[in-house]
Amino acid sequence: MSALPLHQGLAIVMVGLPARGKTYIARKLCRYLSWLGHRAKVFNVGNYRRQRYGDHVPPSFFDPNNEEAWRQRRAVAGAALDDLIQWCEEGGQIGIYDATNSTRERRAYVRGRCEAAGLRVLFIETVCDDPAVIDVNIRETKLSAPDYRDTDPDEATRDFRERLRHYERAYEPLSDDTQSFIKVIDVGRQVVANRIVGHLAGRIVNYVMHLHPTPRPIWLTRHGESEANTRGLIGGDSPLSAAGEQYANSLRTFIADQDVETLHVWSSTLQRTMQTAETLGRGFMAIKALDEIASGVCDNMSYDAIRETMPREFAARQRDKLRYRYPRGESYEDVIRRLDPLLIEVERHREPLLIIAHQAVLRCLYAYLADEPRERCPFLPVPLHTVIELTPRAYGCDELRTELAPGSRAAPSS
Ligand code: F6P
């Protein structure tokens, strides 16, 4: 089983004034739900508008009294909604409708069409009146949007603020508590959840309420080389090899060289990660959810020995590495599911974080953070003795890889 089955498609309808983080939440949520195994997709009405009417339209296009523009805006909103509904009819599970949906009339239209197509509707409204937050949003997302690609930043800001004023005049906040909604106020300072029904909607509330845009580095590294690594054995709980100890020392220097005041260090509960973490000489937390994929009856075996003694198991894993579950062990899908609560903790964290874990577990975390498709998860390169620095940004993630002990042997990987 991938994610929990969805018996009915879900339309997540974003609501809010421009520059309130709707697209940020829509995209992240889509990434999270896809990582969990749902078929999710964002339908951004702005993209439809740009396709139909060009990258830049004047602020008057958003004037609520401009009847001609109002019809055009309604047409592009309808086209995006048509596509969302059609995509759900063709097997999509969660369509995220990213637009301002800032009037009651527009929301009633969207809700009516989704429900008529058999979709449940969950509104997510982002509310924020803090000028500093809005300024950052404008600078970090709007000025680099296609609308203002070749425009002088001051001119773009003026133009965008005029557009914003048009929206403000017409904006009607969500107030109808007969419908399902989540209101995120001031970047999660307050979250209101109304008529939230079911496991998935509950996960969405939990996810959304912990999001924040504070940039901070997240370092991912495997433990130093272990004795099992030197013998080509998977799993087990062996200590570090001499080269592994050397890596732990290099990691201590690397971390000491970083310009960070506070650093949280997490390891798994296995010897090789705890030994690596201990060498850093600071506190760390050993977390069971970070333990390596459980290889069950194959634990402590080499890939060659598995191929020889359990050829059918070996072939089954080759065929579908993401879903294959070791007898009495785990699959990559199982690992993703057990990492889910921890991932929310990663999102919640505002300070630099170092995670010392294992190949399969880090592949799963990396896939989410770097927005890699879930299917690629079991094949993502996470070599030994390499620190991967990830810094989440509004619409992506910066990445830097540092190999700390070039001469060291690579761990076996099937
Ligand atoms: O070889 C090191 C290791 O961490 C094993 O303990 C684990 O079973 C394996 O990597 C996971 O990688 P793969 O899914 O490619 O077998």
Side-chain angles (χ1 to χ4, degrees), residues 146-172:
D147 301 43
Y148 298 115
R149 197 174 284 131
D150 297 317
T151 317
D152 163 73
D154 290 337
E155 172 49 29
T157 309
R158 255 194 311 279
D159 184 281
F160 185 76
R161 286 196 178 282
E162 206 178 323
R163 181 194 298 192
L164 204 46
R165 275 193 293 279
H166 285 309
Y167 272 105
E168 281 163 354
R169 280 198 288 141
Y171 182 50
E172 296 166 321

Side-chain angles (χ1 to χ4, degrees), residues 4 26 95 161 175 194 204 214-215 222 248 275 362 369 376 408 411:
L4 285 177
R161 286 196 178 282
S175 56
N194 186 67
I204 293 173
T214 314
R222 288 170 67 182
Q275 231 182 305
L362 291 177
L369 291 164
R376 288 217 345 108
S408 69

Side-chain angles (χ1 to χ4, degrees), residues 303-321:
Y303 293 118
D304 285 346
I306 301 171
R307 191 193 296 117
E308 275 158 33
T309 59
M310 293 180 247
R312 262 191 273 170
E313 292 300 329
F314 190 84
R317 192 164 200 254
Q318 297 285 101
R319 267 197 309 277
D320 188 354
K321 200 174 168 190

Side-chain angles (χ1 to χ4, degrees), residues 251-270:
L251 184 63
R252 186 186 52 218
T253 313
F254 173 87
I255 290 297
D257 286 348
Q258 304 303 313
D259 185 19
V260 289
E261 261 175 44
T262 324
L263 174 71
H264 297 261
V265 181
W266 296 352
S267 77
S268 78
T269 63
L270 297 169

Side-chain angles (χ1 to χ4, degrees), residues 224-257:
E225 181 191 65
S226 69
E227 282 179 4
N229 290 148
T230 65
R231 296 166 56 211
L233 307 179
I234 65 167
D237 189 15
S238 64
L240 296 182
S241 69
E245 286 174 10
Q246 219 183 312
Y247 174 70
N249 284 320
S250 311
L251 184 63
R252 186 186 52 218
T253 313
F254 173 87
I255 290 297
D257 286 348

Side-chain angles (χ1 to χ4, degrees), residues 45-320:
V45 173
N47 289 339
Y48 284 73
R49 168 181 47 81
R50 281 183 284 270
Q51 261 166 29
R52 206 171 279 191
Y53 301 112
D55 279 351
H56 183 71
V57 287
S60 59
F61 188 78
F62 303 94
D63 182 342
N65 299 321
N66 181 342
E67 281 180 27
E68 170 61 12
W70 185 89
R71 266 193 297 281
Q72 293 175 328
R73 285 167 60 201
R74 170 114 182 196
V76 283
L81 197 54
D82 290 344
D83 285 355
L84 183 152
I85 290 170
Q86 190 186 342
W87 178 79
C88 286
E89 283 167 357
E90 289 167 359
Q93 296 177 316
I94 305 169
I96 306 178
Y97 187 61
D98 181 16
T100 56
N101 297 309
S102 53
T103 61
R104 269 190 221 108
E105 184 265 350
R106 175 61 59 84
R107 290 193 292 271
Y109 164 73
V110 173
R111 182 181 176 185
R113 289 212 44 208
C114 289
E115 288 182 348
L119 302 175
R120 280 178 300 131
V121 177
L122 169 65
F123 289 97
I124 301 183
E125 182 180 33
T126 54
V127 182
C128 177
D129 294 323
D130 181 343
V133 175
I134 299 168
D135 264 7
V136 171
N137 279 350
I138 294 178
R139 257 184 291 116
E140 290 196 353
T141 62
K142 299 296 169 193
L143 298 191
S144 52
D147 301 43
Y148 298 115
R149 197 174 284 131
D150 297 317
T151 317
D152 163 73
D154 290 337
E155 172 49 29
T157 309
R158 255 194 311 279
D159 184 281
F160 185 76
R161 286 196 178 282
E162 206 178 323
R163 181 194 298 192
L164 204 46
R165 275 193 293 279
H166 285 309
Y167 272 105
E168 281 163 354
R169 280 198 288 141
Y171 182 50
E172 296 166 321
L174 267 183
S175 56
D176 174 6
D177 58 16
T178 65
Q179 61 204 8
S180 270
F181 69 74
I182 306 170
K183 240 183 217 281
V184 185
I185 301 164
D186 291 342
V187 203
R189 181 183 56 77
Q190 189 186 16
V191 176
V192 180
N194 186 67
R195 291 191 183 244
I196 297 302
V197 183
H199 175 84
L200 181 67
R203 302 289 324 136
I204 293 173
V205 175
N206 190 36
Y207 179 75
V208 163
M209 70 190 274
H210 289 112
L211 293 181
H212 63 83
T214 314
R216 74 285 184 199
I218 300 168
W219 288 287
L220 305 180
T221 178
R222 288 170 67 182
H223 49 81
E225 181 191 65
S226 69
E227 282 179 4
N229 290 148
T230 65
R231 296 166 56 211
L233 307 179
I234 65 167
D237 189 15
S238 64
L240 296 182
S241 69
E245 286 174 10
Q246 219 183 312
Y247 174 70
N249 284 320
S250 311
L251 184 63
R252 186 186 52 218
T253 313
F254 173 87
I255 290 297
D257 286 348
Q258 304 303 313
D259 185 19
V260 289
E261 261 175 44
T262 324
L263 174 71
H264 297 261
V265 181
W266 296 352
S267 77
S268 78
T269 63
L270 297 169
Q271 276 197 80
R272 52 197 187 275
T273 56
M274 293 205 292
Q275 231 182 305
T276 308
E278 260 157 21
T279 308
L280 304 183
R282 13 174 120 218
F284 68 96
M285 227 163 64
I287 301 172
K288 183 84 185 140
L290 285 172
D291 284 3
E292 181 55 310
I293 187 170
S295 39
V297 299
C298 298
D299 203 41
N300 268 316
M301 291 176 76
S302 67
Y303 293 118
D304 285 346
I306 301 171
R307 191 193 296 117
E308 275 158 33
T309 59
M310 293 180 247
R312 262 191 273 170
E313 292 300 329
F314 190 84
R317 192 164 200 254
Q318 297 285 101
R319 267 197 309 277
D320 188 354

Side-chain angles (χ1 to χ4, degrees), residues 302-346:
S302 67
Y303 293 118
D304 285 346
I306 301 171
R307 191 193 296 117
E308 275 158 33
T309 59
M310 293 180 247
R312 262 191 273 170
E313 292 300 329
F314 190 84
R317 192 164 200 254
Q318 297 285 101
R319 267 197 309 277
D320 188 354
K321 200 174 168 190
L322 176 67
R323 288 168 200 88
Y324 171 84
R325 179 180 285 147
Y326 283 108
R328 278 187 260 137
E330 289 178 305
S331 64
Y332 270 86
E333 284 194 330
D334 293 330
V335 174
I336 289 177
R337 207 162 312 131
R338 83 156 126 100
L339 284 172
D340 176 16
L342 194 78
L343 186 93
I344 307 276
E345 281 301 296
V346 172

